[in-house]
C-alpha cells in the first residue's frame, strides 16, 4: 500500500468494530497516524496494539461522543498527542429500527444523540484543526468524511427515525461542504448499504425477526469495502473532492 497519508493524522470515531475499525486499519496502512475513539476501552487497546504491531502510530481515546465535552476533548487530545489533525471520519452510529407508533422513544434519543449530535460535536471541534491542516499540512488538504447510509437517501417504513438521522447527516454534509470547500477542507459523505458488522445486533429481536429477514438472504458488504471508499476519498489529490459515495451490495435492490 502506498504511504500517501504519511505525516498526516486521522481521527476515526466508532473505531472499535465494523466500518470504523476497518477504516482505522486502512488509514494506518496508508501511513496516517490514527486516533481511535469509542467507548469500550479493552477493544480500543486491542485494536491499537494490532495497528502498532503492523508498524502504525496510534492513539486510543475512550470517548462517548454523545457527550459534547467528551467529543471536544477527543478532538483536542488527538491534536495534543499526535500533533495535528488532517482527516476526521465521523463514523460512530447506531441503528435501532422498528415501526414508529409503538417505538420505545429512548431508542430515538440514542440515535439522535449519536448519529446527529455526536457527529455535529466532533465536526465542529475538528474544523479549526482541519483548516490549519489544509493550510500548512503535508498534503495541503484536509478531509471530514461523514458516514451516512442508503437510509440517508431513501426513507422506508420501519426505519423512520434512523432515516431522519441519516438524512440529517447528508444535509449537514452538503451545507458544510459549501461553506468550507474553497479552503481545501473537503467534506464528504459515504452511504453504505448492508454491511456485515455489529450494527444490526442492537435492533430489538422482534424487529429483526420481521423486518430484517430479507437482508440476511443477500451477500452483504464487508466493512473493508466501505473503508476502501473512505480511503479513496481521503487519498485524492487536493484538486479532487469526492463529495459522495453510495455503496450497496450488488444484490441489494433498495
Ligand atoms: N452496517 C451497516 O449495514 C451500515 C449501513 C449503512 C450505514 N452504516 C453506518 O456505519 C457506521 C458504523 O457502523 P457499523 O456498521 O460499523 O456498526 P458497529 O460495528 O456497531 O460500529 C459502531 C461503532 O460505534 C461505536 N460507538 C457506539 N456508540 C458510541 C458512542 N456513544 N461514542 C463513540 N463511539 C460509539 C462502537 O464502539 P463502542 O460500543 O465501544 O463505543 C462501534 O465501534 C454507523 O454510522 C452506521 O449507521 C452501517
Amino acid at each position: 500500500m502506498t504511504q500517501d497519508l504519511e505525516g498526516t493524522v486521522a481521527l476515526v470515531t466508532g473505531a472499535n468494530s465494523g466500518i470504523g475499525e476497518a477504516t482505522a486499519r486502512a488509514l494506518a496502512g496508508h501511513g496516517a497516524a490514527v486516533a481511535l475513539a469509542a467507548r469500550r476501552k479493552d477493544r480500543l487497546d486491542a485494536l491499537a496494539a494490532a495497528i502498532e504491531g503492523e508498524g502504525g502510530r496510534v492513539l486510543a481515546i475512550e470517548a462517548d461522543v454523545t457527550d459534547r465535552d467528551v467529543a471536544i476533548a477527543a478532538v483536542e487530545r488527538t491534536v495534543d498527542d499526535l500533533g495535528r489533525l488532517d482527516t476526521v471520519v465521523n463514523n460512530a452510529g447506531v441503528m435501532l429500527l422498528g415501526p414508529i407508533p409503538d417505538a420505545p422513544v429512548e431508542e430515538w434519543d440514542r440515535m439522535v444523540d449519536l448519529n446527529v449530535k455526536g457527529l455535529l460535536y466532533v465536526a465542529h471541534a475538528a474544523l479549526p484543526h482541519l483548516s490549519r491542516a489544509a493550510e500548512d499540512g503535508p498534503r495541503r488538504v484536509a478531509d471530514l468524511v461523514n458516514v451516512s447510509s442508503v437510509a440517508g437517501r431513501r426513507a422506508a417504513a420501519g426505519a423512520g427515525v434512523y432515516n431522519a438521522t441519516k438524512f440529517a447527516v447528508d444535509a449537514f454534509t452538503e451545507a458544510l461542504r459549501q461553506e468550507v470547500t474553497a479552503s481545501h477542507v473537503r467534506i464528504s459523505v459515504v452511504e453504505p448499504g448492508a454491511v456485515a458488522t455489529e450494527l444490526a445486533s442492537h435492533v430489538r429481536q422482534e424487529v429483526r425477526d420481521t423486518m430484517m429477514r430479507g437482508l440476511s438472504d443477500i451477500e452483504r458488504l464487508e466493512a473493508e469495502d466501505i473503508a476502501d471508499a473512505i480511503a479513496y476519498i481521503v487519498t485524492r489529490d487536493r484538486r479532487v473532492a469526492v463529495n459522495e459515495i453510495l455503496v450497496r451490495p450488488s444484490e441489494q435492490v433498495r
Side-chain angles (χ1 to χ4, degrees), residues 116-138:
V116 183
K117 292 171 74 178
L119 178 139
L120 299 182
Y121 298 150
V122 170
H124 189 257
L127 278 170
H129 301 293
L130 295 175
S131 293
R132 212 162 300 132
E135 276 169 25
D136 68 9

Side-chain angles (χ1 to χ4, degrees), residues 13-21 37-44 63-67 90-95 113-115 119 147-151 162 165-166 190-202 215 220-221 223 226 252:
T13 70
N16 255 347
S17 57
I19 294 167
E21 174 179 350
R39 296 166 306 172
R40 287 167 292 175
K41 184 72 167 64
D42 52 337
R43 291 187 61 145
L44 278 176
D64 176 346
V65 298
T66 65
D67 180 321
N90 236 334
N91 162 77
V94 63
M95 176 186 75
D113 286 350
L114 181 58
N115 302 2
L119 178 139
V147 178
S148 175
S149 171
V150 164
Y162 185 63
T165 65
K166 294 301 192 181
V190 172
E191 296 148 327
V195 187
T197 70
E198 294 178 5
L199 193 75
S201 67
H202 307 295
L215 277 181
R220 289 179 294 170
L221 298 169
I226 303 304
Q252 183 175 339

